[in-house]
Amino acid sequence: MSVAALTILDLTKVNVAVPSIQAAFEASSTHLQLIVSGYVLAFGLVLVPAGRLGDQRSRKALFIVGLSLFLVASVACALAPSATALMISRIVQGAAAGLQMPQVLGLIQQLFTGAERGSAFGLFGATIGVATAFGPTLGGLLIAIGGEADGWRLIFWMNVPLSLLVIVLAAWLLPGARGRSQRRLELDPVGVLLFALTVLAFLWPFLFTTGSPNDDPRRWWLLGAALLLLSALIWWERHYAARSRLPLMPFRMFRTISFRNGVLLSTTVFASLSGMLIVTTLFLQEGLALSPVVSGMVLIGFAVAEAISSWIGGLLVARIGRKLVVAGLLGLVLSEAGIVAAAVLAAPAAAIWFMACALTCGGVFVGIVLAPNQTLMLGEIAPHEGGLAGSIGQLGQRIGTAVGSAVALALFYASINGANGDGSDGAAYPGAYTAGMIASLVFVSLAALVGAVDLIRHRTAVPQQFPPLRNLVVGSRANE
């Protein structure tokens, strides 16, 4: 859980440091985009291969290797003498994060079964929620402590003692390698290449969308290339599996309805949440002129509520099942609508408090969606493939984050530019915030639709979502 917090924190806390980094190095917009987006891109590229490696060999070893690389990259970021050095270090740091995260999910799948697995994923969801929401606040606080010139370096220095502590605990507490697989180590190099190119082509245009009129429209042609590469990847993986080899992406997993719907649901929820959080932060700082620290404090209720409800949701999912997820999604739709109403209808001084209340309600519903969905998504996946399946789910979340942020940002800034051209008129921000939040509401509504379809499809008793561990293993081996 500590590794999940470290990796997700670095997705969010660095965003508030971008102005300080720009001032320190006189960095170009390309450098700044890669410092932020390069981490996400490297994270997504490494996830699935790392999940496959962990499932075949030692998750503990890959966990420690990834964490050690994350530690070294964090030191390199903190000591970076230039924007280029910081950009390269951030990409390495993202790759290290992608190496670790599948091992966390694989170990949960390996060590826990039944209701205990739900509790573990509840704790995992709570950790992710707190890290996501507290990241901007923590980043702003560290900059305030260290000063505008070098405060951003503290954001990376804080990773060093935390990483060292987790490495020691992992070496001591985590189980070692299981018995050696009867298969030789196999990573499907052609599949890895096609997968990497597909993810790169799909994520690139979204990660480099800022909402500015200067964004290069030609980047959207990469989506066509991504579609062609995905077709090639599917063909190759089926061809590779037909030769009795172990493909990187076993598309047979998507024939498991609970897994397929769970991935789609989490992807759309993360698209909604990422868009909501980024435009809310922009509205608080640019529209209401709050400091990064104060605007981050508005989100504290969201983080705390999500952490508590994730843990509770993990405890309840074995009894309530998919009804819990659908109820949470419907509540999240209403909460996001309430956040918009608070921002637009209330006076600025009161809007902060009303938004904080609505965000806290939203955090409650997010918690009872994400943790139970994670449990249900992996409930019919064999433990020895837990790392790979979890990494596919994580990739969906990273894709959702990139798409949701890009769409919300584009609508937010398009509304401001359409109103007055430069965003100097504060009256333009409520309308811009509404436009950005419309995208978030559309994504969460799609998630609610997926959840409802999944609930209708699975009308069987809840205990069947958590079959005995022996049946999972035997059934999976029979399919290979």
Side-chain angles (χ1 to χ4, degrees):
M1 303 304 172
S2 54
V3 163
L6 276 174
T7 54
I8 299 301
L9 271 174
D10 263 66
L11 276 172
T12 56
K13 67 184 179 181
V14 174
N15 291 344
V16 299
V18 168
S20 298
I21 293 170
Q22 184 178 30
F25 296 126
E26 297 183 356
S28 67
S29 59
T30 300
H31 277 119
L32 294 173
Q33 284 178 315
L34 283 170
I35 287 168
V36 175
S37 302
Y39 181 93
V40 181
L41 190 59
F43 196 156
L45 288 174
V46 173
L47 274 169
V48 173
R52 174 58 86 188
L53 277 175
D55 287 343
Q56 291 187 67
R57 289 299 184 263
S58 172
R59 290 176 179 140
K60 177 179 180 178
L62 283 174
F63 186 93
I64 294 175
V65 168
L67 191 53
S68 301
L69 182 59
F70 187 84
L71 169 63
V72 172
S74 295
V75 173
C77 288
L79 297 174
S82 66
T84 299
L86 179 59
M87 176 188 72
I88 294 171
S89 300
R90 279 285 288 171
I91 291 172
V92 174
Q93 194 184 39
L99 191 61
Q100 301 166 63
M101 186 64 83
Q103 317 319 323
V104 176
L105 297 167
L107 285 166
I108 292 175
Q109 190 80 345
Q110 174 187 337
L111 298 175
F112 300 95
T113 59
E116 290 183 351
R117 186 180 293 167
S119 299
F121 278 125
L123 182 58
F124 176 81
T127 304
I128 295 295
V130 170
T132 300
F134 270 105
T137 304
L138 182 59
L141 181 61
L142 290 171
I143 292 172
I145 293 172
E148 287 293 325
D150 291 314
W152 63 269
R153 296 184 187 272
L154 292 180
I155 289 175
F156 300 108
W157 278 124
M158 71 165 286
N159 292 339
V160 175
L162 295 176
S163 297
L164 286 171
L165 176 61
V166 178
I167 288 172
V168 172
L169 292 175
W172 179 32
L173 296 175
L174 291 182
R178 297 143 291 168
R180 288 188 62 85
S181 172
Q182 297 300 313
R183 292 179 180 267
R184 62 186 178 87
L185 183 63
E186 191 173 356
L187 195 56
D188 180 13
V190 175
V192 170
L193 177 62
L194 288 172
F195 169 80
L197 291 174
T198 301
V199 173
L200 181 65
F202 183 83
L203 286 181
W204 188 275
F206 291 103
L207 291 174
F208 285 84
T209 294
T210 65
S212 167
N214 296 324
D215 287 347
D216 188 348
R218 292 174 298 178
R219 70 193 186 284
W220 296 112
W221 287 105
L222 285 172
L223 294 180
L227 182 61
L228 294 175
L229 288 164
L230 177 61
S231 301
L233 175 63
I234 293 172
W235 174 85
W236 170 258
E237 296 294 73
R238 289 177 174 172
H239 170 72
Y240 198 72
R243 293 162 51 195
S244 299
R245 308 292 293 275
L246 191 65
L248 174 70
M249 287 281 287
F251 286 98
R252 59 177 170 75
M253 279 188 177
F254 291 97
R255 293 199 294 266
T256 303
I257 295 174
S258 58
F259 177 74
R260 183 178 68 232
N261 288 347
V263 171
L264 182 58
L265 192 149
S266 65
T267 299
T268 48
V269 168
F270 268 78
S272 175
L273 293 178
S274 63
M276 179 191 76
L277 290 173
I278 195 166
V279 296
T280 297
T281 301
L282 287 170
F283 176 74
L284 291 171
Q285 292 186 22
E286 298 181 10
L288 300 182
L290 300 180
S291 69
V293 175
V294 175
S295 64
M297 291 176 66
V298 176
L299 297 170
I300 287 178
F302 177 89
V304 173
E306 182 182 349
I308 296 172
S309 64
S310 291
W311 178 67
I312 295 173
L315 296 175
L316 294 177
V317 63
R319 284 193 289 138
I320 302 177
R322 287 169 171 79
K323 293 179 181 178
L324 184 65
V325 175
V326 174
L329 287 167
L330 294 176
L332 186 55
V333 171
L334 295 176
S335 296
E336 290 193 8
I339 296 168
V340 177
V344 173
L345 300 178
I352 299 171
W353 298 100
F354 285 123
M355 289 179 70
C357 291
L359 282 163
T360 301
C361 293
V364 172
F365 293 118
V366 169
I368 63 175
V369 169
L370 293 183
N373 179 67
Q374 184 82 43
T375 307
L376 295 167
M377 182 179 76
L378 298 179
E380 297 178 81
I381 299 296
H384 73 274
E385 289 188 315
L388 176 62
S391 66
I392 293 173
Q394 282 287 313
L395 177 62
Q397 293 175 13
R398 301 289 76 77
I399 289 174
T401 299
V403 173
S405 299
V407 174
L409 274 177
L411 291 174
F412 181 87
Y413 282 117
S415 179
I416 288 178
N417 293 331
N420 51 39
D422 60 2
S424 60
D425 183 3
Y429 282 96
Y433 184 59
T434 302
M437 284 296 291
I438 286 174
S440 184
L441 280 164
V442 168
F443 283 123
V444 76
S445 298
L446 288 174
L449 178 61
V450 173
V453 169
D454 194 47
L455 175 62
I456 294 170
R457 176 64 179 78
H458 289 82
R459 289 184 176 276
T460 55
V462 171
Q464 293 186 22
Q465 307 303 329
F466 302 95
L469 180 61
R470 179 181 60 81
N471 291 355
L472 281 174
V473 176
V474 172
S476 177
R477 287 176 179 170
N479 291 332
E480 291 185 351

